[in-house]
């Protein structure tokens, strides 16, 4: 049964998901949540739902694991970047440098896990989290110091 047939009959994608696909989706969700330091069953379910929704909307027929993993990773990135844009009020969260900065800010703000259950929750008021992320992004970082390393010579010693 193709994706178009599934959609036209009103079935959900998850109803026809194989065990291997379920495991791939759950592993991808777990990896992305771990990269943000999130350990929350609610956040995990929201991430899994976002990945399933992205697969259901995707019109590309990708059958091999490598391209399916790429699709899932892009879907996870898009879901998180969209949520971060909602939390911070910024619209440039999809770029790699801004996304990385916001990830580090979230990791720092979520050291004790207080924001884990808020992760990917679009229905909550995120003003406090947005403030915490902006504070973390304003913290000073070490200055860049240029230095020259002395050249090392490689000597071959006979044993």
């Amino acid at each position: 049964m193709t994706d178009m047939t599934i959609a036209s009959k009103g079935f959900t994608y998850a109803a026809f998901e194989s065990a291997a696909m379920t495991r791939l989706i759950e592993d991808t969700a777990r990896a992305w949540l771990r990269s943000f330091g999130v350990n929350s069953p609610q956040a995990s379910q929201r991430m899994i739902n976002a990945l399933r929704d992205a697969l259901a909307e995707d019109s590309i027929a990708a059958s091999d694991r490598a391209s399916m993993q790429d699709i899932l990773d892009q879907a996870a990135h898009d879901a998180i970047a969209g949520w971060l844009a909602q939390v911070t009020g910024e619209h440039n969260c999809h770029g790699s440098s801004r996304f990385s900065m916001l990830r580090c800010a979230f990791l720092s703000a979520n050291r004790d896990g207080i924001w884990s259950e808020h992760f990917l929750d679009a229905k909550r008021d995120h003003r406090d989290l947005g403030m915490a992320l902006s504070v973390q992004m304003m913290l000073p970082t070490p200055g860049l110091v240029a230095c020259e390393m002395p050249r090392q010579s490689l000597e071959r010693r006979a044993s």
Side-chain angles (χ1 to χ4, degrees):
M1 192 176 271
T2 66
D3 288 342
M4 297 303 279
T5 308
I6 291 170
S8 68
K9 301 235 187 236
F11 296 113
T12 62
Y13 176 81
F16 295 96
E17 191 175 274
S18 70
M21 182 57 72
T22 299
R23 192 162 85 238
L24 182 62
I25 290 170
E26 289 172 354
D27 289 348
T28 302
R30 193 174 309 112
W32 277 89
L33 291 174
R34 188 174 49 241
S35 77
F36 276 82
V38 173
N39 188 12
S40 164
Q42 297 91 354
S44 177
Q45 193 57 52
R46 285 190 290 269
M47 177 60 88
I48 289 169
N49 290 343
L51 294 176
R52 282 189 175 130
D53 290 347
L55 284 177
E57 293 169 4
D58 194 12
S59 61
I60 300 168
S63 57
D64 62 314
R65 182 178 167 92
S67 62
M68 187 58 70
Q69 184 65 60
D70 292 343
I71 291 170
L72 289 172
D73 283 336
Q74 186 61 49
H77 179 272
D78 291 347
I80 294 169
W83 177 74
L84 286 170
Q86 178 187 3
V87 168
T88 61
E90 298 176 14
H91 299 291
N92 60 345
C93 297
H94 289 271
S96 61
S97 63
R98 191 67 177 162
F99 186 84
S100 297
M101 289 174 64
L102 285 167
R103 181 181 158 272
C104 290
F106 185 85
L107 283 166
S108 185
N110 192 43
R111 281 186 307 267
D112 32 356
I114 60 173
W115 301 111
S116 288
E117 66 183 39
H118 295 253
F119 196 76
L120 293 180
D121 190 352
K123 296 177 182 146
R124 280 210 167 140
D125 180 22
H126 294 294
R127 283 181 278 189
D128 291 341
L129 176 57
M131 182 70 70
L133 291 178
S134 66
V135 166
Q136 292 301 320
M137 293 190 58
M138 286 191 283
L139 291 176
T141 58
L144 181 63
V145 177
C147 63
E148 238 177 87
M149 299 293 289
R151 186 172 203 138
Q152 299 290 320
S153 63
L154 298 175
E155 295 179 9
R156 190 173 215 176
R157 296 184 183 178
S159 308

